[in-house]
């Protein structure tokens, strides 16, 4: 069976070698006589899997020891609510940079619990750039500042982090986790839905500085309190066992086959350049984002003609390049080229785009 090149924004393509290991171990995980899917999460065998996943994540991301790693459920979207419940508990104020739909959703959810401030926004130009903000823009006594580090829908990313002083910076890294090194110590908290770059859907990873845990509002449900999960090593209830196992395999792939996040970044930069260079030279296809803010992971582009866009998406799918339709709020196309997308996939896509342009002049 031929595998397609899957440009889905999420859930998304996984490294083939990871899928092969999972297939090999499906019926009998390392002599245990069971699938990881069937295993008690309290068993010794499973305990080793979740511990190894955390250890690998700490190693690969260089997570300082005063940060907890939590393996949760509910998606990044649940974090939009957990963040204010747990952290909007001093002044009750928080600052937001609205760089797209996800950032806006985080803002809206916080606004239900406290004073959420929009400090910057790129809504005026359909979120096609990262808006600048200055130190004096921030609320001095805010409980946190929130950014969406990579904007999955619009294809922008922060290349410079804001200086927030003592105010904890919170980053949504759902669509850029593990794509390049990130200085965890610059953040109070990072979080990601795993289904873009870390594994399958069902797992949400939270990396949070220890001093930020334990101040949740009284109304916070037990399951939404970071302390509950921190105190129980993500085993307060049944964790998303199988997704954590696949995440562990993805981390092993990054560590052993790729050679770490510096190498991952280099590969991702090369891969993205193949597509961006073509977009910059094409008469038909155009990128939609300001060059300096271009994402390495999500590349939106348009022809400027909706019918032609639709024709392209259809013909591309028939040729084995699937999920290239842009988000419904932007239209056009979007190629999500996460870690697991091989560079050949992008090279072949570009060759297909060139031929399409030639044939549709
Ligand atoms: C996909 C995505 C989300 C939503 O994630 P869910 O796990 O579906 O809740 C939030 N933020 C960003 C940046 C995303 O890419």
């Amino acid at each position: 069976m031929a595998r397609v090149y899957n440009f889905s924004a999420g859930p998304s393509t996984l490294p083939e070698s990871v899928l092969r290991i999972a297939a090999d171990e499906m019926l009998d995980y390392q002599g245990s006589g069971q699938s990881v899917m069937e295993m008690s999460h309290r068993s010794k065998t499973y305990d080793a899997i979740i511990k190894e996943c955390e250890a690998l994540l700490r190693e690969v991301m260089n997570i300082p020891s005063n940060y907890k790693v939590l393996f949760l459920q509910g998606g990044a979207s649940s974090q939009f609510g957990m963040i204010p419940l747990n952290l909007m508990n001093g002044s009750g104020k928080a600052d937001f940079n609205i760089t797209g739909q996800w950032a806006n959703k985080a803002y809206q959810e916080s606004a239900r619990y406290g004073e959420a401030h929009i400090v910057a926004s790129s809504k005026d130009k359909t979120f096609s750039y990262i808006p600048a903000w200055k130190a004096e823009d921030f609320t001095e006594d805010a409980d946190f500042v929130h950014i969406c580090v990579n904007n999955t829908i619009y294809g922008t990313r922060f290349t410079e982090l804001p200086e927030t002083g003592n105010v904890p910076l919170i980053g949504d890294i759902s669509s850029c986790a593990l794509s390049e090194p990130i200085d965890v110590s610059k953040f109070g908290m990072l979080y990601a839905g795993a289904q873009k770059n870390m594994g399958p859907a069902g797992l949400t990873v939270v990396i949070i500085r220890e001093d930020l845990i334990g101040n949740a509002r009284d109304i916070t449900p037990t399951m939404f309190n970071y302390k509950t999960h921190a105190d129980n090593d993500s085993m307060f209830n049944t964790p998303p066992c199988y997704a954590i196992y696949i995440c562990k395999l993805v981390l092993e792939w990054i560590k052993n086959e790729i050679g770490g996040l510096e190498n991952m970044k280099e590969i991702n930069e090369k891969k993205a350049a193949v597509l961006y260079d073509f977009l910059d030279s094409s008469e038909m296809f155009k990128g939609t984002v300001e060059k300096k803010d271009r994402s390495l992971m999500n590349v939106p582009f348009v022809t400027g003609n909706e019918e032609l866009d639709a024709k392209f998406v259809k013909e591309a799918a028939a040729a084995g390049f699937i999920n290239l339709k842009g988000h419904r709020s932007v239209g056009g196309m979007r190629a999500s080229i996460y870690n697991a997308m091989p560079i050949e996939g992008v090279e072949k896509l570009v060759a297909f785009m060139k031929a399409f342009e030639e044939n549709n002049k």
Side-chain angles (χ1 to χ4, degrees), residues 74-78 80 102 148 150-152 172-175 191 193-196 204 338:
S77 300
S78 290
F80 299 160
W102 297 118
C148 182
N150 183 76
N151 295 278
T152 324
D172 179 350
I173 52 167
S174 292
S175 52
Y191 65 99
Q195 69 274 17
K196 276 105 189 208
T204 310
Y338 295 118

Side-chain angles (χ1 to χ4, degrees), residues 170-191:
I170 299 182
D172 179 350
I173 52 167
S174 292
S175 52
C176 60
L178 306 178
S179 66
E180 58 180 326
I182 186 165
D183 185 350
V184 177
S185 71
K186 290 247 159 65
F187 293 85
M189 175 183 151
L190 290 164
Y191 65 99

Side-chain angles (χ1 to χ4, degrees), residues 151-178:
N151 295 278
T152 324
I153 295 174
Y154 301 96
T156 61
R157 67 167 173 155
F158 281 83
T159 48
E160 244 177 274
L161 296 176
E163 283 302 332
T164 59
N166 289 328
V167 178
L169 179 63
I170 299 182
D172 179 350
I173 52 167
S174 292
S175 52
C176 60
L178 306 178

